[in-house]
Amino acid sequence: MQLLSLPPRLLMGPGPINCYPRVLTAMSTQLVGQYDPTMTSYMNEVMELYRRVFNTQNQQTFLIDGTSRAGIEAALVSCLEPGDKVLIPIFGRFGHLLAEIAERADAEVHTIEVPWGDVFDPQQIEDAIKKVQPKLLAIVQGDTSTTMLQPLEELGDICRAHDVLFYTDATASIGGNPLETDAWKIDAVTVGLQKCLGGPSGSAPITLSERFVTTVRKRAHVEAGIRDAHHQDSSGMRIRSNYFDLPMIMDYWGEERLNHHTEAATMLFGSRECAIGLLTEGQDAVLKRHQLAGDAMLAGVQAMGLEIFGDLKHKMNNVVGVNIPDQVDGEQIRHDLLNIFNIEIGTSFGPLKGKVWRIGTMGYNARQDAVLHTLQSLETVLRRAGHGLPAGAAVDAAMALYSGDE
């Protein structure tokens, strides 16, 4: 057996990405007990930090231990009882994921779809809400499978007008694109760390409005082994998942500190550092950095004569889809980038598998040197594979944006 040794990859795909060094440093910190005053103090601090990250005043803002999918599942299985109606607009792979999780909760799932590469007009969603009359609207904000960013600004008012709860998964978009939880009247948001927040997968920050909390508290349950005389179960159906039971997790993060699980301390330390890094740099500055990096990557790819996938008006700042040219072996290009230049870019899923490359500019990697190195390497690999393109044009186009000449 040998010591762990990984190649020095530059992760320029749709996520995960290279972590900020300060996050890795924080995650090497020694542990204390889960109820140590220092630990609970840091838990409280993380709640306050992520209120600022989410742009919310929600008291119930904390971490779900697990990947971003753990946050999604916690929100959906805690809210949806068997037979509840949920409307899920699907514009990529991760809308289908929301639908599957809701189906596994035995909800009555209604979906509407647009072609991959498009997003929904708010009127389409309101028309479907009027028809379905769901308990919950569940939608992805940014879907990395298509690189599209769904506008959310009008959906909160639509949901309030029809007495519908509003949930979004913002894993791929938060930090690199605007997200205004309170201003947009979003009732529940879940995210992960592994994209624009610049951490590893393994923790899922979540924030819940009072409307959402009231709904899930109707299903509150306290385990027999920790129940005291003052604890009473609510009248609603018990949540089917113990691990993803939001009322129990809220009790663990709350003043009573009812034992539910042992907090993943190392992930908490990393999550804390992700938030501190974002807030120290400033949300506006981070958004501008992601937009600049994304625009530079886009300009470079277009300068190579490559065709962009999807509606550019609704592209996320932090990832671009590139149609793989005819007569080019897309997987061989990815292989050569990885094994010659140590750069990873992504392919896609479903109907786009083998047809689109996805190139990300996220978190720690949303910086000039990473963008230029990726463009130069992609150009070199394509030229050596026999694909004709103007030499140096990609880097020149990106540098022009960075220098302010464009």
Side-chain angles (χ1 to χ4, degrees):
M1 292 182 286
Q2 298 179 344
L3 291 175
L4 184 65
S5 177
L6 302 179
R9 306 292 197 208
L10 177 61
L11 303 181
M12 299 297 286
I17 47 77
N18 301 93
C19 294
Y20 289 111
R22 62 186 295 167
V23 173
L24 297 178
T25 299
M27 294 180 69
S28 68
T29 304
Q30 184 55 274
L31 307 184
V32 294
Q34 65 171 325
Y35 295 120
D36 187 295
T38 304
M39 181 65 178
T40 55
S41 174
Y42 278 127
M43 291 174 71
N44 290 338
E45 183 190 23
V46 164
M47 295 176 79
E48 180 54 38
L49 288 169
Y50 275 92
R51 290 185 190 107
R52 295 169 62 189
V53 171
F54 282 118
N55 294 306
T56 184
Q57 298 297 314
N58 291 340
Q59 173 63 29
Q60 297 299 343
T61 303
F62 49 91
L63 306 177
I64 303 294
D65 287 349
T67 67
S68 51
R69 188 176 298 216
I72 297 170
E73 189 146 346
L76 294 182
V77 303
S78 295
C79 176
L80 296 171
E81 299 187 49
D84 281 344
K85 293 181 181 179
V86 56
L87 174 65
I88 303 175
I90 297 173
F91 60 101
R93 179 259 171 111
F94 293 100
H96 287 290
L97 172 63
L98 300 188
E100 173 161 332
I101 292 173
E103 288 168 354
R104 287 171 179 252
D106 285 340
E108 183 181 315
V109 178
H110 297 259
T111 62
I112 54 176
E113 297 190 41
V114 292
W116 288 27
D118 293 336
V119 296
F120 289 90
D121 184 274
Q123 189 61 54
Q124 293 174 277
I125 295 174
E126 183 167 22
D127 290 345
I129 285 175
K130 289 177 179 178
K131 179 179 179 181
V132 173
Q133 299 181 353
K135 176 181 183 178
L136 177 72
L137 170 69
I139 190 168
V140 175
Q141 184 188 27
D143 196 314
T144 49
S145 68
T146 66
T147 75
M148 294 296 104
L149 184 75
Q150 170 64 45
L152 302 181
E153 295 90 327
E154 298 180 37
L155 301 187
D157 283 330
I158 291 171
C159 287
R160 295 292 170 95
H162 298 282
D163 194 25
V164 174
L165 292 169
F166 177 21
Y167 160 73
T168 190
D169 163 34
T171 296
S173 47
I174 192 169
N177 307 268
L179 176 71
E180 298 288 341
T181 300
D182 286 357
W184 297 350
K185 298 182 176 66
I186 308 174
D187 290 302
V189 187
T190 64
V191 301
L193 305 180
Q194 71 272 20
K195 300 186 188 280
C196 299
L197 293 180
S201 179
S203 186
I206 185 172
T207 188
L208 310 173
S209 73
E210 284 302 315
R211 293 177 77 227
F212 201 92
V213 170
T214 298
T215 296
V216 299
R217 282 286 189 196
K218 293 175 182 177
R219 306 179 70 188
H221 165 76
V222 177
E223 294 175 2
I226 59 173
R227 185 195 303 263
D228 290 331
H230 69 280
H231 292 134
Q232 293 185 346
D233 288 344
S234 297
S235 58
M237 181 178 294
R238 185 167 64 174
I239 294 166
R240 292 188 173 187
S241 171
N242 177 287
Y243 189 74
F244 295 130
D245 186 312
L246 283 179
M248 290 204 293
I249 299 172
M250 286 188 282
D251 288 342
Y252 177 66
W253 281 80
E255 292 184 4
E256 196 170 4
R257 300 288 177 193
L258 278 179
N259 183 257
H260 175 257
H261 60 283
T262 300
E263 179 58 24
T266 298
M267 287 308 308
L268 182 132
F269 302 155
S271 300
R272 174 180 179 270
E273 205 63 33
C274 287
I276 289 174
L278 174 71
L279 298 171
T280 300
E281 184 176 350
Q283 289 199 46
D284 289 343
V286 174
L287 288 174
K288 288 177 181 177
R289 176 164 60 84
H290 278 87
Q291 183 171 6
L292 179 56
D295 287 348
M297 183 65 76
L298 173 63
V301 168
Q302 289 177 318
M304 281 190 264
L306 299 175
E307 181 182 339
I308 305 303
F309 172 79
D311 182 354
L312 277 178
K313 296 191 301 294
H314 295 292
K315 186 189 81 67
M316 283 190 282
N317 288 330
N318 50 295
V319 62
V320 61
V322 181
N323 289 320
I324 299 172
D326 294 337
Q327 313 307 317
V328 169
D329 184 338
E331 286 305 297
Q332 185 63 48
I333 297 298
R334 292 179 65 238
H335 174 275
D336 289 349
L337 274 174
L338 186 70
N339 291 283
I340 298 172
F341 292 98
N342 268 320
I343 297 174
E344 178 182 280
I345 64 172
T347 183
S348 194
F349 309 102
L352 302 182
K353 184 177 181 180
K355 298 178 180 179
V356 170
W357 293 315
R358 295 176 298 154
I359 307 176
T361 46
M362 306 187 192
Y364 183 53
N365 294 344
R367 62 183 200 269
Q368 182 174 343
D369 65 298
V371 171
L372 299 181
H373 184 39
T374 301
L375 287 170
Q376 185 177 47
S377 301
L378 178 59
E379 178 194 303
T380 299
V381 170
L382 282 168
R383 282 195 295 104
R384 289 178 62 84
H387 184 68
L389 71 171
V395 168
D396 285 345
M399 289 188 71
L401 268 176
Y402 272 109
S403 65
D405 294 338
E406 287 291 332

